[in-house]
Amino acid sequence: MDACDKCGNPQIIINRKQSGQMLCQDCFIEFIQEKVLKDIRRQKLIEKGDKVLVALSGGKDSVMLLHILNNLKKRRIIDIVAVTIDEGISGYREHGVSIATQNAEMLGIKHRIVSFKDYIGGTIDEIMKNSSDRNACTYCGVFRRWILNQVAREEGATKIATGHNLDDEAQSIMMNYLEGNIQNLTRIGVRSESSYEGFTVKIKPLREIPEKETALYALACDLPVHLAGCPYAGDSFRAKIGTFLKQISQEHPTIMYSTLRGFDKIKPVLKEEFSQKGSMGVCEECGEPAAGKFCKACSFRKLWK
Ligand code: SF4
Ligand code: ZN
């Protein structure tokens, strides 16, 4: 009869096809927490004394990340501030904001809610009403990164932690390969760095946890999470790649890990050959790093004003 590989409990909740492990609920929770904290140590993502800004959408990934990082806060290794960005997507974001607030309050973590309206002067819904040439995610991602950088500086954060999981990262790699965006590929990784002094290092502590397991973790720990999908997500190229990778993983359960491992091996070569060495300047409008006169966020703001 099947039983948990760690404790022998016959009530297993997961059969991890990629590793052959079968785990019960308690052992799965412990395994995930240990794996994330081990990945953080192994990859030196966090140091003692860091002030970590956690991008908390209220979704399963960022909620799980906040709860796991809280272990380091409780041990006084780091300080945490959570930030929720309200993009202004009506009927969707309101619930995420209230779930994020609930989680931050539960853990006693400082929580800021910042909006596209306040930082860029308009909502995603308004932008999409006036724009037909790009999909919502293109604007949303650029503005979100821009706002995160601003908030990190306002808070004096030394790291920005996001809840990107294995599926997200494999999608980013595949999307950029298929579109031939080699410059973008050179920026994908567990940690983003820049020599620009106003730039806060971004880290992805859940990068090696499959989405299926972040969902199961939230369920097993009974965490309050926002499960609804963004109404704009269906349009995106990312969503199509996500579906493709999920399908192929059914027959090849390690495919997303191998996508990641292969990419991490060739990345130093890509960086050597293709990264924009020394060509980054500073945006004339906002002072953020920029390849040209203006950063991407400020170029978009101009189009839409
Ligand atoms: Fe923004 Fe796209 Fe995510 Fe919706 S799916 S929140 S539009 S990036
Ligand atoms: Zn700018």
Side-chain angles (χ1 to χ4, degrees):
M1 194 176 77
D2 290 344
C4 173
D5 286 341
K6 285 192 167 196
C7 74
N9 182 342
Q11 285 181 314
I12 58 164
I13 64 161
I14 186 167
N15 179 354
R16 300 186 78 244
K17 291 210 179 86
Q18 65 275 37
S19 64
Q21 266 173 313
M22 286 194 274
L23 298 169
C24 71
Q25 177 158 308
D26 289 349
C27 291
F28 171 70
I29 293 172
E30 197 184 307
F31 164 80
I32 291 286
Q33 285 179 357
E34 275 175 11
K35 165 138 181 67
V36 174
L37 294 173
K38 206 165 90 193
D39 286 347
I40 289 173
R41 271 198 309 275
R42 181 174 53 88
Q43 299 176 95
K44 299 189 174 61
L45 301 185
I46 286 176
E47 288 148 277
K48 191 170 169 50
D50 265 335
K51 183 169 187 180
V52 182
L53 184 77
V54 177
L56 180 67
S57 67
K60 60 188 185 333
D61 307 307
S62 63
V63 166
M64 165 178 166
L65 177 64
L66 187 75
H67 282 259
I68 294 183
L69 289 183
N70 190 48
N71 288 308
L72 300 178
K73 180 175 180 278
K74 281 197 294 198
R75 284 156 52 198
R76 298 178 191 279
I77 296 172
I78 59 167
D79 193 12
I80 299 178
V81 180
V83 59
T84 302
I85 300 180
D86 179 354
E87 306 91 347
I89 302 172
S90 76
Y92 164 70
R93 179 48 73 208
E94 301 85 346
H95 191 219
V97 170
S98 85
I99 296 275
T101 307
Q102 195 183 337
N103 279 283
E105 278 176 2
M106 189 193 287
L107 301 173
I109 286 173
K110 177 178 173 186
H111 182 215
R112 284 187 56 188
I113 300 164
V114 299
S115 66
F116 272 32
K117 191 96 192 164
D118 289 344
Y119 275 74
I120 58 160
T123 65
I124 277 288
D125 284 346
E126 287 166 1
I127 294 168
M128 291 318 287
K129 245 185 243 156
N130 302 329
S131 156
S132 52
D133 58 334
R134 284 195 170 86
N135 79 37
C137 301
T138 308
Y139 294 111
C140 194
V142 167
F143 287 138
R144 204 139 28 109
R145 280 193 293 278
W146 187 77
I147 294 173
L148 270 182
N149 284 339
Q150 309 271 335
V151 176
R153 273 202 296 278
E154 288 163 16
E155 292 294 330
T158 50
K159 302 274 162 67
I160 298 173
T162 60
H164 291 92
N165 58 42
L166 175 65
D167 297 45
D168 297 327
E169 197 75 340
Q171 285 161 17
S172 298
I173 294 166
M174 287 309 296
M175 283 165 66
N176 285 298
Y177 268 135
L178 294 179
E179 290 184 317
N181 289 330
I182 309 299
Q183 293 286 342
N184 286 359
L185 278 175
T186 64
R187 288 191 289 269
I188 293 176
V190 70
R191 180 197 296 104
S192 64
E193 286 180 69
S194 161
S195 50
Y196 171 72
E197 64 172 88
F199 184 88
T200 311
V201 173
K202 291 198 188 70
I203 55 170
K204 299 174 187 165
L206 307 185
R207 187 182 188 243
E208 299 201 8
I209 310 290
E211 185 178 27
K212 226 166 63 187
E213 297 187 8
T214 65
L216 188 61
Y217 183 88
L219 200 71
C221 294
D222 203 17
L223 299 177
V225 293
H226 182 214
L227 290 172
C230 173
Y232 295 115
D235 303 345
S236 67
F237 183 49
R238 176 177 289 278
K240 290 181 190 125
I241 297 290
T243 307
F244 162 73
L245 282 169
K246 271 208 175 75
Q247 275 167 359
I248 206 159
S249 294
Q250 309 249 327
E251 277 180 46
H252 304 275
T254 55
I255 202 82
M256 290 198 230
Y257 282 107
S258 50
T259 303
L260 200 73
R261 300 271 177 259
F263 172 72
D264 284 349
K265 276 189 198 142
I266 61 164
K267 189 179 157 187
V269 183
L270 284 178
K271 263 186 100 170
E272 189 58 37
E273 284 292 317
F274 297 102
S275 60
Q276 295 170 314
K277 287 187 203 90
S279 57
M280 282 303 267
V282 168
C283 172
E284 284 186 10
E285 185 113 357
C286 71
E288 289 281 318
K293 220 169 157 191
F294 301 108
C295 71
K296 238 180 180 173
C298 289
S299 315
F300 282 169
R301 287 197 300 169
K302 281 179 199 312
L303 280 177
W304 155 71
K305 265 182 201 164

